[in-house]
Amino acid sequence: MPELPEVETTVNGIKPWLENKRIQKINVYNPSLRWAIPDDLPEKYLTQKITSISRRAKYILIHLETKATLILHLGMSGSLMIINNETPLAKHDHFEMIMDDGTILRFNDPRRFGCVLDSQDFKNHKLIYKLGPEPLLPDFDGQYLKKKSLNKTQAVKNFIMDGHIVVGVGNIYASESLFIAGIHPNKPAGKVSLAKYKQLALVIKQVLAQAIQSGGTTLKDFINADGKPGYFAQELKVYGRKDLPCVNCGKKILQKTIGQRSTFYCSLCQK
Ligand SMILES: [Zn+2]
């Protein structure tokens, strides 16, 4: 599943190909995504200029000169490609936007959990306005986590994966961050100390920043016809390492389901 670092890399990858260009044509091949692509979307934004492209949580925001915004999500299996008109349509290509210089942004999504929506006021869009802070920005820190966790009995892993608390901390990043910060994933969120939350916030920032950095090489793929960004091969310290020795202490890594998600941890290093 594309996580925040893949989405960030996708945004960085498509930006130079689309910004300051005008939309010549929009083709919808299959509107039935997680939410249907609005019927009027293909006609509505013709000839409009793309002024900028940004990211909020895992939403890709394509801002237009009229202040309207296209909101794209890659869902479980989606990807965006920058191609030209010589690239034949592939299975699961659902949407494309052709720019005035012939550049095409094409959206492929085998499982169709992604979306392509539009908004005249994206900040107040129902998918956007309730989102918690961005993990890489300064307002996300240990103090903030401590404040939000007061009296909370839910497992700290579920707490940091809740998009109302902080966006973009997926299952793998949650396991990895809690391991590095030495916090047991099942510990009640309200029982984690301020010092530990300070450490955890820093670790989350580092883990995500590292993944974004390692994704730098996939940016090159965007100029290829098959320019799909591969999901980043991470060097994982704990995730997926059930029964293997802990990299810190050598004890066997345990696997447990917390909040219906597979969780990996070391019972000696994480308290
Ligand atoms: Zn250990």
Side-chain angles (χ1 to χ4, degrees):
M1 171 163 35
E3 293 290 346
L4 188 141
E6 284 90 356
V7 178
E8 176 81 12
T9 300
T10 297
V11 166
N12 292 335
I14 63 176
K15 249 177 193 243
W17 300 91
L18 301 175
E19 278 181 354
N20 297 314
K21 290 178 187 169
R22 288 186 185 277
I23 299 171
Q24 195 175 62
K25 196 168 194 306
I26 290 176
N27 292 317
V28 175
Y29 299 108
N30 180 359
S32 307
L33 301 178
R34 180 164 188 186
W35 295 284
I37 300 175
D39 288 342
D40 62 348
L41 191 146
E43 296 298 322
K44 215 165 161 183
Y45 300 110
L46 294 184
T47 74
Q48 286 201 22
K49 188 157 92 177
I50 294 177
T51 50
S52 64
I53 301 178
S54 64
R55 177 188 64 73
R56 177 74 175 101
K58 294 203 285 178
Y59 294 98
I60 296 165
L61 304 172
I62 301 179
H63 306 284
L64 304 175
E65 59 183 337
T66 51
K67 308 288 176 218
T69 304
L70 301 179
I71 302 174
L72 278 67
H73 196 285
L74 302 176
M76 307 282 286
S77 56
S79 59
L80 287 169
M81 289 162 275
I82 293 287
I83 49 172
N84 59 34
N85 62 7
E86 285 157 23
T87 311
L89 214 57
K91 203 177 174 185
H92 309 302
D93 282 346
H94 306 309
F95 172 92
E96 71 182 4
M97 205 159 66
I98 304 172
M99 309 311 294
D100 53 0
D101 69 343
T103 300
I104 300 174
L105 175 75
R106 199 175 275 174
F107 178 65
N108 182 286
D109 186 3
R111 296 184 63 185
R112 293 192 283 117
F113 278 101
C115 72
V116 180
L117 297 170
D118 65 324
S119 172
Q120 308 308 311
D121 177 17
F122 80 93
K123 283 184 181 157
N124 288 311
H125 191 272
K126 62 176 184 203
L127 296 173
I128 307 279
Y129 82 97
K130 277 187 188 161
L131 294 172
E134 288 287 330
L136 294 168
L137 294 183
D139 54 346
F140 173 71
D141 62 12
Q143 302 270 13
Y144 167 82
L145 283 176
K146 185 66 192 167
K147 205 174 108 197
K148 283 286 180 183
S149 67
L150 282 180
N151 303 320
K152 282 214 163 105
T153 54
Q154 74 177 142
V156 62
K157 177 162 178 266
N158 294 341
F159 173 68
I160 59 168
M161 285 181 68
D162 178 349
H164 302 109
I165 301 299
V166 57
V167 299
V169 182
N171 195 37
I172 296 175
Y173 298 116
S175 272
E176 290 293 297
S177 300
L178 289 167
F179 175 76
I180 297 167
I183 303 168
H184 195 290
N186 225 359
K187 187 167 180 140
K191 293 250 163 80
V192 177
S193 69
L194 175 61
K196 275 291 176 193
Y197 270 135
K198 283 185 173 171
Q199 204 182 338
L200 180 61
L202 283 177
V203 168
I204 288 173
K205 287 172 195 281
Q206 278 164 2
V207 166
L208 289 173
Q210 232 163 40
I212 290 168
Q213 218 168 25
S214 77
T217 51
T218 62
L219 282 178
K220 292 197 192 89
D221 295 339
F222 280 91
I223 54 172
N224 297 331
D226 65 341
K228 287 191 190 180
Y231 301 143
F232 302 158
Q234 305 271 340
E235 255 183 62
L236 299 173
K237 289 189 183 349
V238 70
Y239 189 88
R241 290 180 45 86
K242 189 189 175 195
D243 291 338
L244 292 171
C246 168
V247 293
N248 290 342
C249 73
K251 198 166 188 256
K252 267 188 187 177
I253 294 297
L254 303 176
Q255 180 183 14
K256 193 173 182 172
T257 302
I258 298 177
Q260 293 158 1
R261 305 300 299 272
S262 217
T263 303
F264 299 85
Y265 65 101
C266 171
S267 60
L268 206 61
C269 296
Q270 294 174 260
K271 297 288 174 197

